[in-house]
Amino acid sequence: MILKTFRWPLVITVLGLAASAVFWGWEAFGVVLILSILEISLSFDNAVVNAGVLKKLNAFWQKIFLTIGVLIAVFGMRLVFPVLIVAITAKVNPVEAVRLAVDNPSRYESLVTDAHPAIAAFGGMFLLMIFLDFILEDRDIKWLAWIERPLAKLGKVDMLSVCVALIVLVVTSLTFAAHAHTSAGHGVDKSSTVLLSGVAGLITYLVVGGLSSHFENSLEEAEEREEEEEEKARAEGRAVSAVGLAGKAAFFMFLYLEVLDASFSFDGVIGAFAITNHIFWMAVGLGIGAMYIRSLTVYLVRQGTLDDYVYLEHGAHYAIGALAVILLVTIQHEINEVVTGLVGVVLIGASFWSSIRRNRALSAQGGDGDGGDSGSPGAQEKAGAQA
């Protein structure tokens, strides 16, 4: 199962590293390898969150996620996106931006650095909304119940997550954005840019997430009407296959996944400039990492890992919240990518260990320990507290 799922990432890794060594030398080989590891470490939480969405889709859309979705992730976000940033901020055409990347990488890097406040505000607000909507929702299974229980009560207030996000954006624009870090150094006022970009990130989340939820709810209503037909099919001895979301619902869920992946990739793309200015080395290294994250997402879905280790999704969303804060802070202050990656790894590792302890506790209490809804909510919270 592992070799089958990760077959293409392994092939691309070998080809990418070999091509780097042949065309650009051993320095490129080392840089591409480092960038691949950087992307994987920064985006592990992305795989966990994506898996929670991807499991709702049928096999066809899961395959689209691994094919067309990978092309969008690798070529769109890791190659085209940095070029577009330079084209927009420098007010040049994309061809000229590519020429800058190849012939004048230091100038190219400075232009991307100047665009960082806008990128960080957009991505930070999008990720912050994901975290807030998760943490403010009342869930049967709670990881850090002492935090999640009171926040779930507050979450009953309509549009609270939007209000909190807007408050964070205003505070950020008045503090970090007033002394933003650019190629000219600290102290540049980017308040208006951060405000506009942050609002754009918020609107993008609301539109894409809203459409996904709308079509998902519509499909659920249709599925309820189909239940009677399925029962008839079983009575007649015909096989009934379980299918996931399809049609418009699946399309907008796929679109949501792509925007989500784009937001996660911001820190990787920006962080890559701390290692190299070479646009093609960057694209190859980050692209290899993106391939592994995509395959890891599918692996988590097919193995039912999120059902077995129920706190993983919690840990990933806490990591998302931390990443959102880090992105907003980096508008003014530089934060090492190692710190960003370690925060996500530690939070997800802690949630994984808590899930294992919970399953053991439920087994000792006579539950099935499969990570599902076994046992009463009280027993689940008790197991979570023990974890």
Side-chain angles (χ1 to χ4, degrees):
M1 176 65 181
I2 293 179
L3 288 178
K4 181 179 179 180
T5 303
F6 291 92
R7 177 177 66 249
W8 283 112
L10 290 171
V11 171
I12 296 299
T13 299
V14 173
L15 293 177
L17 291 175
S20 299
V22 171
F23 293 108
W24 299 306
W26 289 108
E27 180 186 357
F29 177 92
V31 170
V32 168
L33 181 61
I34 292 172
L35 287 172
S36 303
I37 297 172
L38 172 70
E39 178 70 6
I40 294 171
S41 65
L42 288 175
S43 302
F44 187 80
D45 49 353
N46 187 8
V48 177
V49 176
N50 280 354
V53 179
L54 190 66
K55 68 181 182 181
K56 301 177 183 178
L57 303 181
N58 60 20
F60 170 78
W61 280 99
Q62 290 182 12
K63 186 175 293 185
I64 292 294
F65 177 76
L66 270 179
T67 52
I68 297 176
V70 165
L71 293 177
I72 295 173
V74 174
F75 295 102
M77 286 307 302
R78 276 74 181 181
L79 181 61
V80 177
F81 176 67
V83 171
L84 289 179
I85 290 174
V86 172
I88 293 171
T89 55
K91 297 180 181 180
V92 298
N93 62 61
V95 175
E96 179 66 15
V98 172
R99 189 193 66 77
L100 277 174
V102 175
D103 298 336
N104 194 352
S106 60
R107 173 61 179 162
Y108 179 81
E109 180 188 3
S110 68
L111 290 173
V112 174
T113 302
D114 290 340
H116 176 69
I119 299 169
F122 182 95
M125 292 306 296
F126 189 93
L127 295 178
L128 181 62
M129 281 299 300
I130 294 173
F131 169 71
L132 289 174
D133 277 348
F134 180 88
I135 200 66
L136 293 174
E137 182 180 347
D138 191 11
R139 300 176 182 278
D140 292 334
I141 297 177
K142 297 177 175 62
W143 180 30
L144 305 178
W146 59 278
I147 295 177
E148 296 171 13
R149 191 181 294 112
L151 288 178
K153 293 179 180 179
L154 290 174
K156 295 178 181 179
V157 179
D158 290 339
M159 303 300 290
L160 180 61
S161 59
V162 176
C163 294
V164 172
L166 287 173
I167 291 172
V168 171
L169 178 59
V170 171
V171 172
T172 300
S173 66
L174 295 176
T175 54
F176 300 126
H179 305 281
H181 172 69
T182 64
S183 59
H186 293 280
V188 180
D189 189 353
K190 291 281 186 176
S191 299
S192 59
T193 300
V194 166
L195 271 176
L196 288 174
S197 299
V199 170
L202 179 61
I203 292 173
T204 301
Y205 173 83
L206 293 175
V207 171
V208 178
L211 288 173
S212 299
S213 298
H214 169 72
F215 286 107
E216 183 181 355
N217 292 336
S218 298
L219 190 67
E220 287 177 356
E221 293 176 0
E223 287 175 345
E224 290 179 0
R225 294 192 296 267
E226 292 174 357
E227 285 182 357
E228 295 182 0
E229 297 182 5
E230 291 179 357
E231 291 179 0
K232 291 180 181 179
R234 292 190 184 94
E236 295 172 1
R238 291 185 284 114
V240 179
S241 59
V243 296
L245 295 178
K248 291 181 179 179
F251 172 76
F252 282 105
M253 196 67 72
F254 171 76
L255 181 62
Y256 174 77
L257 276 171
E258 292 307 310
V259 177
L260 179 63
D261 178 77
S263 297
F264 271 104
S265 68
F266 289 150
D267 62 323
V269 172
I270 299 302
F273 282 99
I275 299 173
T276 181
N277 297 332
H278 199 296
I279 185 175
F280 298 114
W281 298 5
M282 191 184 303
V284 174
L286 297 180
I288 290 173
M291 291 283 293
Y292 279 99
I293 294 301
R294 289 286 167 131
S295 295
L296 178 60
T297 299
V298 173
Y299 179 79
L300 292 174
V301 172
R302 293 176 178 172
Q303 291 293 102
T305 304
L306 298 186
D307 294 328
D308 294 335
Y309 303 99
V310 294
Y311 297 140
L312 266 181
E313 197 168 1
H314 292 72
H317 279 86
Y318 279 107
I320 287 175
L323 178 56
V325 172
I326 289 172
L327 276 174
L328 296 177
V329 172
T330 57
I331 292 174
Q332 180 179 358
H333 303 287
E334 294 185 70
I335 297 179
N336 194 289
E337 290 71 32
V338 174
V339 175
T340 305
L342 283 178
V343 168
V345 170
V346 169
L347 286 169
I348 293 175
S351 64
F352 178 73
W353 176 243
S354 294
S355 299
I356 293 176
R357 296 186 62 183
R358 171 190 181 273
N359 291 344
R360 290 175 180 173
L362 287 177
S363 297
Q365 294 170 12
D368 57 18
D370 63 354
D373 292 332
S374 59
S376 64
Q380 291 173 348
E381 289 198 14
K382 180 179 178 182
Q386 292 174 348

